[in-house]
Amino acid sequence: MAAMRLLVVEDEPKMAEAIRRVLVAERNAVDVADDGVGALAFAADRDYDVIVLDRGLPDLDGLEVLRLLRSRGVSTPVLMLTALGSLEHRVAGLDAGADDYLPKPFAFAELLARLRALARRAPDLGGERLAAGDIVLDAVRHRVTVGDQGEDLSAKEYALLGYLIRQDGRVVTRQQILDAVWGTEPDVYSNVVDLYIHYLRRKLEALGRRDALRTVRGVGYALSADDGGSR
């Protein structure tokens, strides 16, 4: 894969060194942190293409590290590693802002494939201001705001909302969303669109826009700029 700058956050020395060796063998630049405080310091000081974050850390829990990263405007894709592989734990990780989730034990070939996929994330929207009515996408902090209230977005939620806003209310199919947001990432199934629509809808509902994301049965989804009196 193309050389990347990666941050690995793993408190188990043997695992951290094994991951580092594999990534360096692929000609990547790799920094290693063994706790949450160190991870936050690295992320504040340098820009990374992907962060590999273990959930079980000795000081701050990996989920707390992730929430702090997102609250500080760090939008770097995060691949979360954990020995807790249940659906509940995967959902918790994604809700906290993770972009992918890899249960332990894992094959290094799969780790590399997932990192390649995250590195091919949808292009950043830069400093462009995107809005659909009172729904505003903050391109600097990767947040969606309605009035003076806001919700942090993961990288994929951010790309998905940006894509829907650009459609100006047009209905788009799952395949169109997959092509635009996930591109050529391997092993992406169509249900992932429904999952991220669910995440995005829940965050918009928390901001008072319960009916903003419409499901058009048998076709796809659309974002409405009209609040429909839902606030």
Side-chain angles (χ1 to χ4, degrees):
M1 66 183 165
M4 296 183 290
R5 175 169 287 280
L6 303 164
L7 173 61
V8 175
V9 188
E10 169 61 63
D11 67 310
E12 167 50 48
K14 289 184 179 180
M15 174 62 75
E17 178 60 15
I19 294 174
R20 189 194 69 80
R21 285 176 177 271
V22 168
L23 296 179
V24 169
E26 296 289 326
R27 301 184 179 181
N28 298 294
V30 181
D31 290 322
V32 178
D34 60 6
D35 60 23
V37 172
L40 293 171
F42 271 118
D45 186 56
R46 302 179 184 181
D47 292 326
Y48 294 97
D49 294 296
V50 183
I51 296 172
V52 180
L53 176 63
D54 186 37
R55 177 164 177 171
L57 296 172
D59 52 356
L60 299 174
D61 178 81
L63 293 183
E64 182 61 24
V65 173
L66 185 50
R67 293 189 186 101
L68 287 170
L69 287 172
R70 296 308 187 217
S71 70
R72 295 175 184 182
V74 177
S75 58
T76 305
V78 170
L79 172 61
M80 181 161 279
L81 306 178
T82 183
L84 306 173
S86 71
L87 175 60
E88 179 183 355
H89 290 114
R90 292 197 300 272
V91 169
L94 292 169
D95 280 348
D99 299 279
D100 200 359
Y101 204 96
L102 185 58
K104 296 177 180 179
F106 54 83
F108 286 118
E110 182 177 6
L111 172 66
L112 292 172
R114 289 177 181 270
L115 291 174
R116 287 193 294 268
L118 287 175
R120 291 195 298 267
R121 55 180 281 192
D124 201 331
L125 300 175
E128 181 180 359
R129 182 184 184 276
L130 291 178
D134 59 353
I135 300 172
V136 179
L137 187 61
D138 184 333
V140 175
R141 300 191 64 189
H142 279 211
R143 285 170 61 83
V144 55
T145 62
V146 176
D148 59 356
Q149 301 296 315
E151 288 280 335
D152 294 328
L153 301 175
S154 71
K156 280 294 185 287
E157 291 169 344
Y158 170 75
L160 173 58
L161 182 56
Y163 175 70
L164 292 172
I165 289 175
R166 288 176 183 274
Q167 305 315 303
D168 294 323
R170 292 187 295 271
V171 179
V172 290
T173 66
R174 287 180 180 83
Q175 189 59 53
Q176 287 175 313
I177 293 173
L178 278 174
D179 292 342
V181 177
W182 279 266
T184 58
E185 292 183 19
D187 304 323
V188 175
Y189 48 94
S190 61
N191 286 355
V192 76
V193 173
D194 301 325
L195 184 63
Y196 275 85
I197 288 287
H198 168 72
Y199 294 154
L200 202 52
R201 179 176 281 135
R202 188 164 61 181
K203 291 185 177 182
L204 289 171
E205 287 177 351
L207 299 176
R209 290 302 314 274
R210 180 171 54 85
D211 300 321
L213 259 176
R214 294 190 298 115
T215 300
V216 181
R217 191 175 299 277
V219 182
Y221 300 99
L223 181 71
S224 172
D226 182 5
D227 66 14
S230 63
R231 297 197 66 187

